[in-house]
Amino acid sequence: MEEFIPMFLFMCIAGVLILRPVTKKLGLLIEALAKERMAGVAPRSTPAALEDAQVERIASALDRLNSRIDLLDDRMGFVERLVESRPRQRLTG
């Protein structure tokens, strides 16, 4: 069971390292598309307003995801420091 702890930590850290830049770039892309639509289009009809609402929901969801990934990164750092500071011993006694 102890063998899975380092693998789990590695997978979590790798997930954060891979997903955080991707979500940031995706958020910036969505924001740029939303600004471009707002600047280049005349008065909008109802379907266009729905698309903007969807873009805003996606952007807010990405912001929440980014903050959760930051929180996970902080927690993983704490767990790593905690594990490294203690001597290695068995969990079952």
Side-chain angles (χ1 to χ4, degrees), residues 46-83:
T46 304
L50 289 177
E51 289 178 12
D52 286 342
Q54 290 173 342
V55 169
E56 287 298 320
R57 281 195 311 239
I58 291 171
S60 66
L62 285 173
D63 287 339
R64 286 193 310 267
L65 180 63
N66 194 25
S67 66
R68 290 186 73 177
I69 288 175
D70 287 340
L71 182 61
L72 180 64
D73 187 34
D74 292 341
R75 289 179 179 177
M76 289 301 301
F78 172 75
V79 169
E80 287 175 348
R81 288 190 304 274
L82 186 65
V83 169

Side-chain angles (χ1 to χ4, degrees), residues 12-73:
C12 289
I13 292 169
V16 169
L17 291 175
I18 292 170
L19 292 177
R20 183 158 190 240
V22 170
T23 57
K24 281 191 139 190
K25 294 284 185 180
L26 186 59
L28 292 173
L29 176 65
I30 291 172
E31 284 183 34
L33 289 174
K35 287 180 183 177
E36 184 179 301
R37 285 186 184 176
M38 293 173 97
V41 177
R44 301 172 186 261
S45 62
T46 304
L50 289 177
E51 289 178 12
D52 286 342
Q54 290 173 342
V55 169
E56 287 298 320
R57 281 195 311 239
I58 291 171
S60 66
L62 285 173
D63 287 339
R64 286 193 310 267
L65 180 63
N66 194 25
S67 66
R68 290 186 73 177
I69 288 175
D70 287 340
L71 182 61
L72 180 64
D73 187 34

Side-chain angles (χ1 to χ4, degrees), residues 79-91:
V79 169
E80 287 175 348
R81 288 190 304 274
L82 186 65
V83 169
E84 288 174 359
S85 68
R86 292 189 179 192
R88 189 170 178 101
Q89 44 183 289
R90 297 187 129 213
L91 296 175

